[in-house]
Amino acid sequence: MSELYSLTVRDLADRMGRGECSSVEVVNSLLERIENLDGEIGAYLSVDKERALDEARASDRRRETGQGLSPLDGIPIGVKDIFNVAGEECRCGSRILEGYVAPYDATAVARLRAKGMILLGRLNMDEFAMGSSTENSAYGVTRNPWNRNLVPGGSSGGSAAAVSADMAFASLATDTGGSIRQPAAFCGCVGLKPTYGRVSRYGLTAYASSLDQAGVITKDVGDAALLLGVIAGHDPADATSLAAEVPDYLQCLRTDLKGVRIGYPREYFVEGVEKDVARSVQGAIEECRRLGAEVIEVSLPHTEYAVAAYYIIATAEASANLARFDGVRYGLRAGGRDPLEMYAETRAAGFGREVKRRIILGTYVLSSGYYDAYYLRAQKVRSLIRADFQEAFKVCDVILAPTAPGAAFAVGERTQDPLRMYLGDIFTVTANLAGICGISVPCGFTDDGRPVGLQILGPAMGEEKILRTAYAYEQATPWHTRRPPIAGKEGVE
Amino acid sequence: MKKVDYLVNIGLETHVQLKTRSKIFCGCRNVFGGEPNTHVCPVCLGYPGTLPVLNEEAVRLTVITGLMLGSRINLFSKFDRKSYFYPDMPKNYQISQYDKPFCVGGGVEIDLEGGGRKVIGITRIHLEEDVGKSMHFESSSGVDFNRAGTPLMEIVSEPEMESPEEAYAYLQALKEILLYAGVSDCNLEEGNMRCDINCSVRPAGSEQLGTKTEIKNMNTFHGVLHALRYEVRRQIDILEKGGRIEQETLRWDDRAGVTVAMRSKEYAHDYRYFPEPDLPPVRLTEETVAAWRAELPEMPRARRERFVRNYGLPEYDAGVLSADRAVADFFEETARLCGQPKAASNWVMTEVLRVISEKGLEITALKITPRALADLIGMVVEGKINTTAAKEVFDVLAVRGGEARAVVEERGLLQVRDAAAIEEYVLAAIADNPKSVDDYRKGKKAALQYLVGQVMRKSRGKADPQLVLEELRRRLG
Ligand SMILES: [Zn+2]
C-alpha cells in the first residue's frame, strides 16, 4: 500500500471523501516525511506543525458532522514564501523582511483556505523571486531531490523540490519569467503558469508587476487543473485581474489529441539546447502526433530578444517595487543618523547580491537619458513578442517547446556567471512578456538521470487547451509516475 | 541713469485634496485628522503584496475641475510611478500621472487690481496620491500615514501671473471655482490646498523668461503673497547689482520673512517615471464626459454677473452672494419664492450671513429654509408684521426651523390693525401721560412721537405705527 504522502490531491480527496483517512493522518504522514527528508533538501523555510494539526483536527470535525467545506477540506498545501498569509512571517527569502508578519491573506491563499485546505509551511525561493536556482535565498540553498548536487531550479525551487520529494501534495508558487515552469521541469513535476490576470496578484509580494503570475506546482496535470479552478477568477482587489468566468478545468481533460494543432517553433529548437533535452522534447512531440495531434511549424521570430527585454522590464519594475523596503514600517531596520542613511544601511544589510544587481540595473534603465534606449525599446520588443504569439496561435492551438534549454545544473556552477544564468530563461520569459499561459510536464530524463520538462504554451485564457494537451501526453507516458531515488533517515525506499 | 523696469513671471502648481468618501486606492476613509495611523490599511501603508484599485469618484472630480476650467479632457489617461525616497512615502514611489493627465489646457479668470480682467492659462491637471506626514519629536521622528492615499489633484498653471498680487488673485479665484464644483473643501488649515511656486524676473523688453526659482510647500495664500513679494525683490536686487539668478529650490521661512535655499539632497531627484503596471489605463467615453459636463454648476463669476443683470443687485452684493455656492443657491431660491430679489438679497446678506458667521456654521446647517424666509419676507412686504418682529421670527426659524407663519402666530407677532384695539392702546397712553398730551397741545410736536412710542410699547411692538399715529392725532385733535 502506498504511503499517504505519495498520493495526489485528487486521490486524497477521494479517500477522505470515502472516510478512508483523516486529515490528521494525512498531515502527520507529510510532517513525518518532511522530518525525514527536508534536512537534506531544504525545501521548507518553516513548518507550523501545531497549527497544521489544529487545522487538521478542525477539518476532521467538519467532515464528521457533514460540514466539510469542499472535497479539498483538510488537504495540506505548501506555499512559496512570497505569499502573504495573515499571522505568518513572509520574508520572500530575504533578510530585509525578517520579522515582517503579514497582516492579511493573499487572495489565492484565501481561496485555498475557503476550500478548507491547510497551509502547511513556507517554501524556499530565490530572494524576491530573483533567480533560476534557489541559490539566492538568504536562508540557504534548496537541493534537487533527484540529485542533491543539483539545483532544483528557481525561483520556486522549494515549491518544486517539496512536491517532487513527496513533502507536499502541491504547492502555491509564482512565475515571473519561468519561476514555476523551470523548477517543475528540473524536479520532474508539473508547473502551471496561468494567463496574466487569471489569478489575482493581491498578496503576492511583487517582483515585476506586469509579469508576475501565481500558479501551482503539482504531481500531475489533473491536480494542476483542479487547483487552478480554486485560485483563478476575478478579484476586485487586483485591477489587472481578468473578469472571465472560471470553467471546470477537470472537465476539459481528454486522453487523445484528435483535432489539436500543435505549433512547433523553430526558434526554440536551436543550438545551445542540451542534446538529451532536445531528444526528449522531440520524442514528446512525436507522442502527441501519435495521439492524434497535427504538428505545424510556426515561427516566433523575436525570441532572441526576449531575455534582454525581460531583464530590462522586470528589473525596472523591481527597482520601484522593492523601494518600499526601507526599514521605516516593517522588517529589518539598520542604524543611520538620518532617514537617507537608514535606508542605505538597511538596504545594504538586507538585500542579497542578485537583488542589488537587479535593483541597480532597473534603476539605470529608467534613469533620465536612458529610458528611451532601454525601457521603451524593451516595451517595443515586448509588443513584437506578443504579436509573434498572436500570429502563431492563428494556425495552432498550443505550442510545444523545451521548458529550459538544459536540465538541472550543479549547485554553484552558475553563481559567478549571472549572464549564463539569465540565458537559461530564454524559453520561459516569452510567455510572461506576452501574458499567455504555459505548463511544464515531465517528458523524460537525460542520460545521467536528470528530469526534462516539456513546455506547452497556449494563448491568453487558453488554460483548457494546454491542460488538455498536457493531460493526454501525461496519461500516455510513464514520466509523471517516476519518483526521485531519495533515502530519508529511514533508509532506502 | 534711467532705472530698468522688470517683468515678473509666476507659475503655480496647486495641489488640491479631493472630497471623496474613501482614499484614492483603498477603502480607508478620507478624513482629516484622527489619532496618527488610525485611518490606514495595508494598501495605503504600502505593505508587501498590496495593490491599488482606483477610486472612480476621484477621476470624476478631476475631470469636473477640468471642465470648469475649460480644459481638454483626455479620454485615454494613465498612471505612472514617480520614484523618490522619503519617509512619508509608503512605497517610496508615488502613483501619479506623467504624460497622460486627465486634463490639458484651460484657464482661470482673475480681476486685476487696477480694474479689468485676465485669464491665467492652465497647463494640465493630473491626479495622484497624497503622502503621509512626518512628525518630529524631541529625540525622534515619526510618520502619520492617515493622509497617505488621499486623492490629490495637481493643477499646473502657465507662468502667466505677472505680480504676487495676481498669484494671490489666481488662488482666490481657483478656490472659489473648486468650492463651487464641490471637488474640495479647500480648507487651508487642513492642508486641502498647497502649492509650489515658480518665479522669475527679467528686464522689460527682454523676450526670454529669466532663470526661475522654485519655492516649495506653501500652504497659505498670504504666505504665497509674502514669499513672492520677497522673492521678486530679491531677484531684482541681484540683477541690479549685475548678479545672476541661481536656478534653485527654496522654501519660505515665514517667521524670518525670507526664502531659504533647500539642501540639494532634499529635492534633486531623477524621478524615473514609468507606467504604473498595477493600474490599467483609464478610458473615459464621450458619453460619460458629456454627462458630467451636463451636471456642472454655473461658474461663480458668471453667476455674479447674472445676479447684477437679472436682479439689479449692486456689483458688491452680487459678489458677496455668489462667493459661496450654497449661499447663492439659498438666495436664488428665496428670491424666486418671494418674488422680491432685493429684499431677499438684503435678508441673506444681513441676517443669514450674520447667523452663519456668529455660529460658525455652513449655510446648509441652518434650519431656516428658503421657503420660510420667502414667506417671512412676504409678510413684511404685506405689512402683516413689522421688521423688528420679523427679525425675532428669523432667529427662531434659524435655530428651530418650521414655517414662518406658525412662528408669527405662536408668538402673537401679527401686526395689530384692529381699530378698537388700537383705540384702547391710544386711550391708555393718553391717560398715562398727561404731561406729554399737554405739551403736544401746546404745540410741542415732538411729544407726539413720544406718545407713539408709548403705544408701541403697550402693544409690544405689534400695533401698526401708521394707524397709531392717525388715532393719536384724531384723539388729541
Ligand atoms: Zn488604506
Side-chain angles (χ1 to χ4, degrees):
Chain A
M1 180 189 143
S2 51
E3 297 287 346
L4 286 174
Y5 60 70
S6 68
L7 299 177
T8 63
V9 173
R10 293 184 329 294
D11 288 341
L12 275 175
D14 288 347
R15 289 202 190 188
M16 290 167 80
R18 290 195 299 266
E20 291 171 19
C21 63
S22 70
S23 175
V24 170
E25 285 165 352
V26 170
V27 168
N28 273 324
S29 166
L30 211 51
L31 288 174
E32 200 180 319
R33 178 78 173 169
I34 294 167
E35 181 78 38
N36 282 332
L37 287 183
D38 205 33
E40 296 171 39
I41 305 296
Y44 281 93
L45 290 175
S46 63
V47 177
D48 193 339
K49 287 185 195 173
E50 290 316 310
R51 178 166 149 176
L53 284 168
D54 281 348
E55 288 185 22
R57 282 187 283 268
S59 166
D60 286 337
R61 276 195 298 276
R62 282 196 296 270
R63 282 192 186 257
E64 279 160 23
T65 54
Q67 290 172 313
L69 297 172
S70 81
L72 300 177
D73 198 339
I75 297 178
I77 186 166
V79 177
K80 186 178 179 179
D81 195 31
I82 205 166
F83 288 91
N84 284 263
V85 177
E88 287 187 7
E89 205 177 14
C90 175
R91 298 178 296 187
C92 299
S94 181
R95 289 265 171 245
I96 209 159
L97 277 172
E98 235 166 40
Y100 162 65
V101 175
Y104 71 103
D105 273 345
T107 299
V109 166
R111 287 181 176 172
L112 294 171
R113 269 198 213 274
K115 297 285 181 197
M117 293 193 84
I118 296 170
L119 309 173
L120 187 79
R122 303 189 67 84
L123 294 158
N124 200 16
M125 57 185 279
D126 283 304
E127 186 178 1
F128 287 108
M130 297 179 182
S132 312
S133 64
T134 316
E135 292 166 294
N136 296 334
S137 168
Y139 304 100
V141 173
T142 299
R143 309 229 163 214
N144 192 317
W146 289 89
N147 177 341
R148 274 166 287 130
N149 296 320
L150 303 179
V151 300
S155 65
S156 314
S159 302
V163 172
S164 165
D166 284 333
M167 295 191 294
F169 300 108
S171 56
L172 189 60
T174 59
D175 187 316
T176 305
S179 285
I180 284 177
R181 290 160 290 157
Q182 184 254 26
F186 280 19
C187 293
C189 358
V190 171
L192 172 64
K193 180 207 102 72
T195 304
Y196 183 78
R198 181 77 277 206
V199 179
S200 169
R201 287 186 297 117
Y202 190 75
L204 71 87
T205 306
Y207 157 24
S209 313
S210 74
L211 301 159
D212 292 341
Q213 179 57 204
V216 289
I217 294 177
T218 55
K219 294 180 183 177
D220 67 9
V221 175
D223 277 4
L226 172 68
L227 291 171
L228 176 63
V230 175
I231 62 173
H234 181 250
D235 176 11
D238 176 0
T240 62
S241 77
L242 300 169
E245 288 293 308
V246 179
D248 181 349
Y249 291 111
L250 283 170
Q251 287 298 312
C252 69
L253 306 182
R254 303 274 181 282
T255 48
D256 68 71
L257 289 175
K258 290 199 183 77
V260 174
R261 297 168 301 164
I262 284 176
Y264 173 86
R266 63 180 98 83
E267 292 83 0
Y268 284 57
F269 293 87
V270 286
E271 243 180 280
V273 176
E274 247 182 73
K275 181 172 61 53
D276 293 354
V277 169
R279 174 178 47 75
S280 298
V281 174
Q282 295 287 7
I285 291 170
E286 278 317 305
E287 184 61 35
C288 290
R289 204 195 298 271
R290 206 186 56 75
L291 289 166
E294 177 191 359
V295 178
I296 299 160
E297 192 168 310
V298 295
S299 176
L300 300 165
H302 297 93
T303 302
E304 62 174 309
Y305 307 112
V307 170
Y310 171 82
Y311 277 94
I312 288 168
I313 293 167
T315 59
E317 292 179 3
S319 72
N321 282 329
L322 271 60
R324 70 191 66 197
F325 305 116
D326 57 11
V328 173
R329 283 145 299 136
Y330 43 73
L332 185 74
R333 178 190 290 178
R337 281 163 306 180
D338 60 35
L340 279 181
E341 258 189 46
M342 181 179 84
Y343 300 156
E345 290 186 19
T346 300
R347 292 164 70 81
F351 288 137
R353 277 176 66 88
E354 182 62 24
V355 172
K356 285 177 186 160
R357 179 165 23 238
R358 294 197 194 188
I359 290 173
I360 291 168
L361 185 56
T363 304
Y364 178 79
V365 300
L366 290 174
S367 299
S368 96
Y370 297 96
Y371 181 88
D372 289 3
Y374 293 104
Y375 185 81
L376 208 59
R377 188 172 291 194
Q379 288 293 7
K380 285 178 185 160
V381 169
R382 185 175 190 172
S383 301
L384 293 171
I385 287 170
R386 194 178 286 132
D388 279 356
F389 279 107
Q390 275 162 1
E391 276 306 303
F393 285 126
K394 282 179 184 165
V395 297
C396 65
D397 299 305
V398 294
I399 289 171
L400 266 52
T403 302
F409 48 86
V411 172
E413 186 187 318
R414 294 187 190 171
T415 44
Q416 295 311 310
D417 190 354
L419 197 59
R420 184 143 170 255
M421 189 83 94
Y422 297 171
L423 287 171
D425 300 336
I426 174 107
F427 299 145
T428 44
V429 293
T430 48
N432 301 80
L433 287 167
I436 61 173
C437 59
I439 190 170
S440 179
V441 290
C443 69
F445 292 87
T446 59
D447 286 346
D448 56 359
R450 294 171 296 148
V452 176
L454 165 70
Q455 180 173 222
I456 304 170
L457 297 171
M461 303 301 282
E463 278 81 0
E464 288 166 285
K465 292 178 179 178
I466 60 172
L467 285 166
R468 178 192 169 174
T469 308
Y471 183 76
Y473 171 75
E474 176 191 83
Q475 292 304 304
T477 55
W479 312 118
H480 68 292
T481 61
R482 302 284 174 85
R483 284 289 172 272
I486 34 175
K489 288 179 192 163
E490 292 169 338
V492 181
E493 209 174 33
Chain B
M1 192 178 95
K2 188 183 174 298
K3 212 161 163 12
V4 186
D5 275 335
Y6 287 91
L7 301 178
V8 177
N9 285 88
I10 298 164
L12 294 178
E13 292 171 12
T14 312
H15 294 89
V16 180
Q17 289 182 329
L18 298 176
K19 198 162 115 184
T20 53
R21 239 198 297 257
S22 54
K23 291 186 180 182
I24 184 169
F25 297 128
C26 65
C28 289
R29 277 178 51 199
N30 174 21
V31 286
F32 175 77
E35 282 295 300
N37 299 311
T38 49
H39 298 296
V40 292
C41 72
V43 176
C44 56
L45 285 174
Y47 267 55
T50 58
L51 297 171
V53 177
L54 180 60
N55 180 341
E56 286 172 17
E57 179 63 2
V59 176
R60 190 181 72 90
L61 295 179
T62 305
V63 171
I64 291 238
T65 304
L67 292 171
M68 293 286 280
L69 301 188
S71 308
R72 185 166 56 71
I73 307 303
N74 275 329
L75 294 181
F76 176 90
S77 189
K78 70 177 179 65
F79 287 91
D80 300 273
R81 288 188 184 177
K82 177 181 181 181
S83 288
Y84 62 98
F85 280 88
Y86 207 79
D88 60 16
M89 289 256 291
K91 303 182 291 289
N92 286 317
Y93 64 80
Q94 183 186 26
I95 302 179
S96 182
Q97 296 193 290
Y98 181 57
D99 58 347
K100 290 280 177 210
F102 283 109
C103 318
V104 179
V108 173
E109 191 177 74
I110 60 168
D111 291 321
L112 297 175
E113 280 204 320
R117 291 160 183 198
K118 173 179 175 181
V119 174
I120 307 298
I122 294 296
T123 315
R124 54 181 276 163
I125 307 173
H126 69 252
L127 182 57
E128 59 191 26
E129 56 182 334
D130 207 344
V131 298
K133 226 175 187 168
S134 295
M135 307 166 99
H136 302 286
F137 312 112
E138 213 166 297
S139 62
S140 64
S141 294
V143 191
D144 175 9
F145 289 104
N146 283 350
R147 196 178 74 176
T150 298
L152 196 64
M153 175 172 70
E154 182 171 332
I155 303 171
V156 182
S157 85
E158 294 290 322
E160 293 176 351
M161 287 156 269
E162 292 169 300
S163 70
E165 291 71 27
E166 284 187 21
Y168 185 78
Y170 164 85
L171 287 169
Q172 288 289 3
L174 186 61
K175 179 181 169 186
E176 204 173 74
I177 294 167
L178 296 171
L179 282 172
Y180 246 67
V183 301
S184 173
D185 286 331
C186 297
N187 187 329
L188 290 141
E189 284 78 47
E190 296 184 358
N192 290 165
M193 267 180 105
R194 286 124 52 194
C195 62
D196 299 336
I197 308 171
N198 287 308
C199 172
S200 66
V201 301
R202 63 188 148 121
S206 159
E207 287 295 314
Q208 210 174 349
L209 292 188
T211 304
K212 68 178 178 188
T213 59
E214 188 177 9
I215 311 172
K216 288 268 193 197
N217 302 328
M218 302 300 303
N219 47 28
T220 67
F221 293 180
H222 273 102
V224 170
L225 186 64
H226 294 138
L228 275 168
R229 281 178 180 161
Y230 174 86
E231 180 61 14
V232 166
R233 193 64 253 160
R234 186 185 74 87
Q235 292 191 14
I236 291 175
D237 284 349
I238 291 173
L239 295 182
E240 302 244 278
K241 288 184 190 131
R244 257 186 46 205
I245 309 291
E246 289 292 328
Q247 176 155 4
E248 59 187 342
T249 301
L250 311 166
R251 73 185 164 75
W252 172 241
D253 182 335
D254 200 38
R255 213 173 298 166
V258 294
T259 54
V260 191
M262 289 169 79
R263 287 179 301 157
S264 70
K265 78 173 183 182
E266 287 177 304
Y267 65 87
H269 302 293
D270 177 354
Y271 292 124
R272 308 195 308 278
Y273 281 101
F274 73 98
E276 170 55 77
D278 288 333
L279 291 168
V282 179
R283 287 165 213 275
L284 297 169
T285 63
E286 298 275 7
E287 291 72 39
T288 305
V289 175
W292 290 344
R293 191 191 295 276
E295 288 169 19
L296 287 186
E298 191 177 15
M299 288 279 272
R301 302 172 70 81
R303 199 164 198 187
R304 185 173 85 197
E305 283 158 22
R306 190 165 55 77
F307 283 2
V308 172
R309 207 170 51 239
N310 293 6
Y311 302 133
L313 301 183
E315 184 89 27
Y316 175 80
D317 296 14
V320 171
L321 288 173
S322 62
D324 182 305
R325 185 175 161 193
V327 171
D329 288 346
F330 189 97
F331 156 69
E332 281 218 87
E333 182 66 0
T334 307
R336 188 182 67 79
L337 290 168
C338 70
Q340 305 276 348
K342 284 239 169 88
S345 157
N346 285 336
W347 274 90
V348 173
M349 295 224 351
T350 54
E351 298 309 306
V352 173
L353 294 182
R354 173 182 61 80
V355 174
I356 289 174
S357 79
E358 275 173 14
K359 307 219 158 127
L361 294 173
E362 294 284 321
I363 192 166
T364 44
L366 279 191
K367 290 284 192 323
I368 188 168
T369 60
R371 172 86 261 170
L373 180 57
D375 288 349
L376 192 60
I377 292 170
M379 289 164 80
V380 174
V381 171
E382 287 165 20
K384 289 195 179 134
I385 56 172
N386 63 43
T387 313
T388 318
K391 286 191 177 160
E392 186 184 329
V393 174
F394 177 87
D395 285 337
V396 173
L397 290 171
V399 176
R400 231 178 57 187
E403 285 184 32
R405 190 165 302 275
V407 175
V408 167
E409 277 165 13
E410 171 196 309
R411 303 228 151 186
L413 291 172
L414 271 184
Q415 205 142 283
V416 175
R417 310 190 68 176
D418 175 64
I422 287 180
E423 186 180 14
E424 201 176 304
Y425 289 133
V426 166
L427 289 177
I430 290 173
D432 290 355
N433 297 282
K435 173 125 183 11
S436 299
V437 172
D438 206 37
D439 287 351
Y440 176 73
R441 285 187 173 141
K442 284 182 184 151
K444 240 175 126 182
K445 295 294 168 209
L448 187 63
Q449 258 340 98
Y450 176 76
L451 286 167
V452 170
Q454 291 306 303
V455 173
M456 293 309 284
R457 240 174 75 183
K458 282 184 192 301
S459 73
R460 291 187 33 247
K462 293 184 296 183
D464 184 319
Q466 195 56 41
L467 296 182
V468 170
L469 195 64
E470 282 165 20
E471 182 65 15
L472 271 171
R473 282 207 178 109
R474 201 168 65 81
R475 288 279 162 187
L476 298 173

